[in-house]
Amino acid sequence: PSPSSSQGNGASEAALQCEIEELKRKDLALDQEIAQLLSEGYSLEELEKHISLLHEYNEIKDAGQMLLGKLAVIRGVTTKQLYPEYDLELSD
């Protein structure tokens, strides 16, 4: 292999190593957060149910945003202009 290809592989290996370390830090932080919640009296089942409900909420919200976007295109307005019509807050 040429020196430049070796340097390229070294750089990608270094980037992967950094990504692995970052994922390990995130994993540790999540483990600590779970331990904290468990110490506060939450159960794993409760946490899993809560996470499941959050996923469902996000999917429904995404579908609503998509529909608002399509309606805005049809009407030739921005989605922001539709919010008052449906009693939505901009933070929704």
Side-chain angles (χ1 to χ4, degrees):
S2 69
S4 62
S5 68
S6 294
Q7 289 173 350
N9 288 340
S12 64
E13 283 183 35
L16 287 173
Q17 207 50 42
C18 285
E19 189 174 343
I20 289 168
E21 291 304 316
E22 179 62 24
L23 289 172
K24 286 180 181 178
R25 282 192 291 276
K26 286 181 181 180
D27 185 46
L28 179 60
L30 288 172
D31 285 345
Q32 290 171 341
E33 189 175 343
I34 289 169
Q36 174 68 32
L37 290 168
L38 291 173
S39 74
E40 292 173 6
Y42 294 97
S43 69
L44 284 176
E45 294 81 20
E46 237 181 329
L47 294 173
E48 288 172 1
K49 177 68 175 172
H50 185 75
I51 290 168
S52 175
L53 290 172
L54 283 172
H55 284 295
E56 184 177 346
Y57 166 81
N58 284 329
E59 289 172 6
I60 293 168
K61 183 177 176 183
D62 289 346
Q65 290 292 327
M66 183 186 69
L67 289 173
L68 274 176
K70 289 182 182 283
L71 183 59
V73 168
I74 290 169
R75 291 189 181 177
V77 298
T78 65
T79 54
K80 183 178 177 180
Q81 291 171 307
L82 293 176
Y83 273 58
E85 184 176 338
Y86 296 99
D87 295 322
L88 298 171
E89 299 292 326
L90 287 176
S91 60
D92 286 344

